[in-house]
Amino acid sequence: MVLLKEACGRSDADLVEKCQVGDDAAFDELVRRYKDRIYGVVCRFLGNREDALDVAQEAFVRAYRGIQGYGGQASVYTWLFTIAANLARNRLRDQRQKGRDKAASLEAMADGGSDIAMTRETPRSLAQRRELEESLDACLAALPAAQRLVFVLRVFDGLCYEEIAACAGCGEGTVKSRLNQARRRLGDCLKARGVM
């Protein structure tokens, strides 16, 4: 995988090396590079902005504490997202055990830069879009966490199967299977709601 280089010309690998010798500014640069992307995916997965912010912050705290253990086996983003995904799954599990399972919200998706361009929105089109978002929101929240994770990483974050497998801690075949199941369930759910 090709390492990303920013305007400063320092690769992720260079920044990690500097972090490992105590350069906090290098870690700050890694946070700047990946905070929005990590937050966006976690927000779509959890469906709650506050929880996503907590998880993203905790992921970076854990990454900072564990930077010495990063060996470069995966890309920096994959490593960071794996930490965030584990924290997000734990958050979902804890909420369900406490009976606080919250419905997901696609407001975060809209705020995150959806590619849907509305040139002229009428009250009717706004209402239709809101209805579609609410239906998709409910259907996405109904997916099992493992299926929701691979769906969000593939559709909203555009990761390849190999990257998703690394983030989810499973094989590429499992990723493809979960993605197929997620798409089928979402389609069935949207049809049942009269959206498709």
Side-chain angles (χ1 to χ4, degrees), residues 59-108:
F60 283 109
V61 168
R62 290 194 184 191
Y64 180 79
R65 290 180 185 153
I67 196 77
Q68 296 301 327
Y70 175 74
Q73 300 89 342
S75 73
V76 172
Y77 174 75
T78 300
W79 176 67
L80 289 170
F81 185 76
T82 300
I83 295 168
N86 288 332
L87 291 168
R89 283 191 290 261
N90 291 344
R91 176 72 56 110
L92 278 178
R93 184 196 63 232
D94 293 346
Q95 287 176 348
R96 286 191 178 115
Q97 287 175 350
K98 293 176 184 176
R100 296 184 323 130
D101 190 17
K102 300 174 186 171
S105 170
L106 289 183
E107 284 181 53

Side-chain angles (χ1 to χ4, degrees), residues 26-174:
F27 190 79
D28 291 343
E29 177 61 27
L30 287 174
V31 171
R32 275 191 290 281
R33 285 184 187 183
Y34 295 112
K35 67 179 178 167
D36 292 338
R37 199 168 163 197
I38 295 287
Y39 169 78
V41 173
V42 171
C43 192
R44 289 182 190 109
F45 179 71
L46 291 175
N48 179 289
R49 292 178 187 193
E50 292 81 22
D51 287 345
L53 185 58
D54 288 347
V55 166
Q57 287 174 345
E58 180 64 20
F60 283 109
V61 168
R62 290 194 184 191
Y64 180 79
R65 290 180 185 153
I67 196 77
Q68 296 301 327
Y70 175 74
Q73 300 89 342
S75 73
V76 172
Y77 174 75
T78 300
W79 176 67
L80 289 170
F81 185 76
T82 300
I83 295 168
N86 288 332
L87 291 168
R89 283 191 290 261
N90 291 344
R91 176 72 56 110
L92 278 178
R93 184 196 63 232
D94 293 346
Q95 287 176 348
R96 286 191 178 115
Q97 287 175 350
K98 293 176 184 176
R100 296 184 323 130
D101 190 17
K102 300 174 186 171
S105 170
L106 289 183
E107 284 181 53
M109 181 180 76
D111 290 346
S114 175
D115 290 336
I116 300 171
M118 298 288 181
T119 54
R120 223 183 248 171
E121 291 199 89
T122 64
R124 180 181 176 149
S125 67
L126 282 170
Q128 288 173 334
R129 185 167 56 99
R130 173 65 67 193
E131 183 179 338
L132 175 62
E133 287 175 356
E134 288 173 0
S135 294
L136 185 55
D137 180 7
C139 292
L140 193 57
L143 288 177
Q147 291 175 14
R148 186 178 342 153
L149 177 65
V150 297
F151 184 83
V152 166
L153 289 173
R154 181 69 177 171
V155 173
F156 295 115
D157 206 33
L159 295 185
C160 69
Y161 295 125
E162 180 182 3
E163 293 168 318
I164 296 169
C167 290
C170 62
E172 288 183 50
T174 303

